[in-house]
Amino acid sequence: MTSNSTKIAIIGAGRGGTALLDLLHQIPDVDIVGIADKDPTAPGLQRAKELHVPVEEQVHDLIRNHGVNLIMDVTGDPSMAPFIQAMKRPGAEVLSGATTRLLWKLVQHQSKLEAELFQADKLAGLGSFAAGIAHDINNPLQLILGLAENLTDEQDLAVVHDQARDITEAVKRTSAICRDLTRYARRNGTGEDVMVNLNTKLDEALRIARYAVTLQDVTVVKRYAEDASVLGNPDELLHVFINLITNAVQAIQTRGTLTLQTTVSPDGHVSASVSDTGCGIPKEAFSKIFEPLYTTKPPGKGTGLGLYNVLSVISKMEGHICVESDVGVGTTFRIEFPQVQPTTSCAPL
Amino acid sequence: MGEFKSGFFMSETACNGRVLVVDDEPDIRKVVRMTLQKAGYEVIEAENGEKAIEAINTGENRLLLDVLICDIRMPKINGVEAIAYFQQEWPRVPIIVLTGFPDTDMATSFLRSGVVDYLVKPVEGEKLRTAVARAMEQRELAQL
Ligand SMILES: Nc1ncnc2c1ncn2[C@@H]1O[C@H](COP(=O)(O)OP(=O)(O)O)[C@@H](O)[C@H]1O
Ligand SMILES: [Mg+2]
């Protein structure tokens, strides 16, 4: 493992260097040996400290470092390239100027594409909500209209009071729908990670999934652990759960059980799972279900983007997803989240 | 007093007809009942297609049912399936669809299949009563 990893030195801690740091430190097989800048106040040096990346005071020390096999020059300084060439050890390769910028552009493009796929999946979801939303808005409207018509000539004061109260309740229920949906449709901004209560998120996801899939013949079982919270983006987690719940309910053809569970282990590991007693996933499909656009559903019911987006959100959080499934019996998707506060650094002895 | 009033209406108009309303929302059944009772109809309720079929098959309802009002999006047997069943078993009972989801394709196919009206919630009381009255006329024609 260590021999395969790329050991990188970042020269330049301006905007480019900071962006590279943010990107590269997330990739498992990449090891950032250090970052250096002539300017000790460069913003990337501060960021490096936050990420526990070593900051080298002298640029040439970092270039000469034995452990480095790739030097990335993001200084934008034309005199840096010959300097690096002169100083570097023979085995080390150099990426500089235009090459690094291209790399950075590719990465940005990729993450923009991912954001678009995420949004596309949500919008496709909204389309399938139409019938459910219409149902949930027009039913209370029918009640309100009927009661209001009756009130115009109702003589019995007690009935008048009752019906006025019913109207108020119906209006409240209707406005809750809009609140849920605007939260769902919102584009994820640069939203900071916050502590998210998974139980509340699962409940919210269930309410929204109801617009896309009818739950009447599905028994919902909730097994929530107290204080199941994780650090994450609430909108992304909401979408993750909506996807898993929608899939689970779609897998249940006639009647069945949907189980939503959260656990908190004694050592503080948090997990969330969504299980169904539906059709199950055949073994040969296991490797494909997380691929973008893989779907076994007819157009209008599936886009194949759901699990792909689920996986990318969870990987970004450094969590894991396990799938257990038996054809004809059911499926469980279990998400294991990383520990919230790593108890210091677990250095090997 | 409310109780007395509805009883009074019914006896006065000697029951204009018997309407079965099928909707999973109790609220909807309640307002439809209120609206139609004002025009002297007797209203029976069912919360889904299965219950509706049960209701029609029991007792005297079968003989006396004049109009059926049915929602589409319902658990168990949904509206589309239920309506197909009603049309086959009781071809003479006119059906009015009362749905929360305006879907032109669905409306067209229902109307082609002989459903007398396709109403989208929220529907005004007057419009509902007119639709039921028109359905009653059809029912009477069918009986001739
Ligand atoms: N709970 C489940 N039970 C059975 N099959 C599932 C389940 N979840 C996902 N799948 C399978 O994985 C495929 C991909 O899922 P997903 O990425 O959410 O796309 P979509 O739901 O749009 O098809 C589905 O089409 C289905 O075949
Ligand atoms: Mg899906």
Side-chain angles (χ1 to χ4, degrees), chain A residues 138-139 142 149-150 166 216, chain B residues 30 38 75 100 121 123 125:
Chain A
N138 288 336
N139 271 337
Q142 178 73 71
E149 283 179 345
N150 184 59
D166 286 350
Q216 281 106 337
Chain B
K30 177 170 137 186
K38 284 196 176 164
K121 296 170 192 167
V123 61

Side-chain angles (χ1 to χ4, degrees), chain A residues 121 243-252 274-276 278-282 285 288-298 301-310 323 325 330-333:
Chain A
D121 185 30
N243 266 316
L244 294 180
I245 293 172
T246 310
N247 281 346
V249 176
Q250 285 176 333
I252 298 172
V274 176
S275 314
D276 62 71
C279 59
I281 303 170
K288 298 190 211 127
I289 56 173
F290 290 101
E291 281 172 15
L293 304 178
Y294 174 79
T295 179
T296 55
K297 295 167 195 173
K301 293 238 164 177
T303 58
L305 293 176
L307 288 178
Y308 170 76
N309 282 319
V310 167
V323 191
S325 188
T331 306
T332 296
F333 279 85

Side-chain angles (χ1 to χ4, degrees), chain A residues 132 134 138-139 142-143 145-146 149-150 153 163 166 173 210 216-217 255, chain B residues 24-25 27-28 30-31 34 38 73 75-76 100-101 121-125:
Chain A
N138 288 336
N139 271 337
Q142 178 73 71
L143 177 71
L145 181 61
E149 283 179 345
N150 184 59
D153 58 10
Q163 296 191 341
D166 286 350
R173 254 184 294 146
R210 269 189 48 242
Q216 281 106 337
D217 298 331
R255 269 154 223 216
Chain B
D24 57 321
E25 291 270 340
D27 284 345
I28 298 298
K30 177 170 137 186
V31 287
M34 242 170 49
K38 284 196 176 164
R73 191 179 157 97
K76 310 276 156 57
F101 188 47
K121 296 170 192 167
V123 61
E124 285 158 47

Side-chain angles (χ1 to χ4, degrees), chain A residues 25-287:
Chain A
H25 100 277
Q26 297 176 35
I27 305 175
D29 282 342
V30 167
D31 185 6
I32 308 177
V33 177
I35 183 165
D37 199 296
K38 278 188 238 161
D39 173 9
T41 65
L45 300 181
Q46 185 51 40
R47 182 78 186 124
K49 285 185 192 128
E50 287 163 19
L51 296 174
H52 305 287
V53 169
V55 173
E56 198 72 64
E57 285 191 8
Q58 297 299 323
V59 175
H60 59 259
D61 284 345
L62 183 57
I63 296 172
R64 271 201 297 245
N65 186 309
H66 284 257
V68 169
N69 52 28
L70 180 64
I71 298 167
M72 298 181 100
D73 167 17
V74 280
T75 55
D77 172 359
S79 68
M80 187 52 81
F83 180 69
I84 294 176
Q85 285 301 339
M87 305 282 287
K88 75 177 186 72
R89 299 174 38 78
E93 286 177 41
V94 184
L95 276 185
S96 67
T99 331
T100 326
R101 273 198 298 280
L102 175 65
L103 184 71
W104 176 240
K105 277 192 188 137
L106 285 177
V107 168
Q108 279 201 315
H109 185 65
Q110 167 76 15
S111 71
K112 214 170 90 196
L113 283 182
E114 285 200 354
E116 289 304 324
L117 279 185
F118 195 80
Q119 196 63 13
D121 185 30
K122 288 209 292 194
L123 292 182
L126 271 186
S128 67
F129 292 173
I133 297 169
H135 178 269
D136 277 27
I137 291 181
N138 288 336
N139 271 337
L141 281 181
Q142 178 73 71
L143 177 71
I144 293 166
L145 181 61
L147 294 177
E149 283 179 345
N150 184 59
L151 285 175
T152 55
D153 58 10
E154 179 63 59
Q155 303 297 320
D156 187 335
L157 199 57
V159 174
V160 171
H161 288 168
D162 269 358
Q163 296 191 341
R165 248 193 314 274
D166 286 350
I167 289 180
T168 313
E169 284 309 309
V171 170
K172 279 190 200 155
R173 254 184 294 146
T174 319
S175 58
I177 301 167
C178 298
R179 193 191 53 219
D180 280 349
L181 287 174
T182 40
R183 188 172 311 167
Y184 172 83
R186 174 166 75 193
R187 228 169 220 282
N188 304 310
T190 44
E192 284 284 301
D193 283 356
V194 291
M195 287 308 287
V196 181
N197 182 318
L198 295 180
N199 303 344
T200 324
K201 267 304 150 213
L202 280 165
D203 284 344
E204 195 184 332
L206 184 65
R207 279 205 307 276
I208 295 177
R210 269 189 48 242
Y211 296 122
V213 285
T214 22
L215 273 174
Q216 281 106 337
D217 298 331
V218 175
T219 313
V220 181
V221 177
K222 296 178 186 176
R223 293 211 188 93
Y224 291 164
E226 246 179 84
D227 297 327
S229 300
V230 298
L231 190 65
N233 178 315
D235 294 342
E236 289 181 357
L237 282 170
L238 175 66
H239 192 56
V240 163
F241 292 150
I242 291 173
N243 266 316
L244 294 180
I245 293 172
T246 310
N247 281 346
V249 176
Q250 285 176 333
I252 298 172
Q253 268 113 7
T254 46
R255 269 154 223 216
T257 306
L258 167 73
T259 308
L260 308 178
Q261 183 166 15
T262 55
T263 64
V264 180
S265 73
D267 62 353
H269 276 100
V270 176
S271 82
S273 52
V274 176
S275 314
D276 62 71
T277 57
C279 59
I281 303 170
K283 284 275 167 301
E284 33 327 331
F286 260 61
S287 59

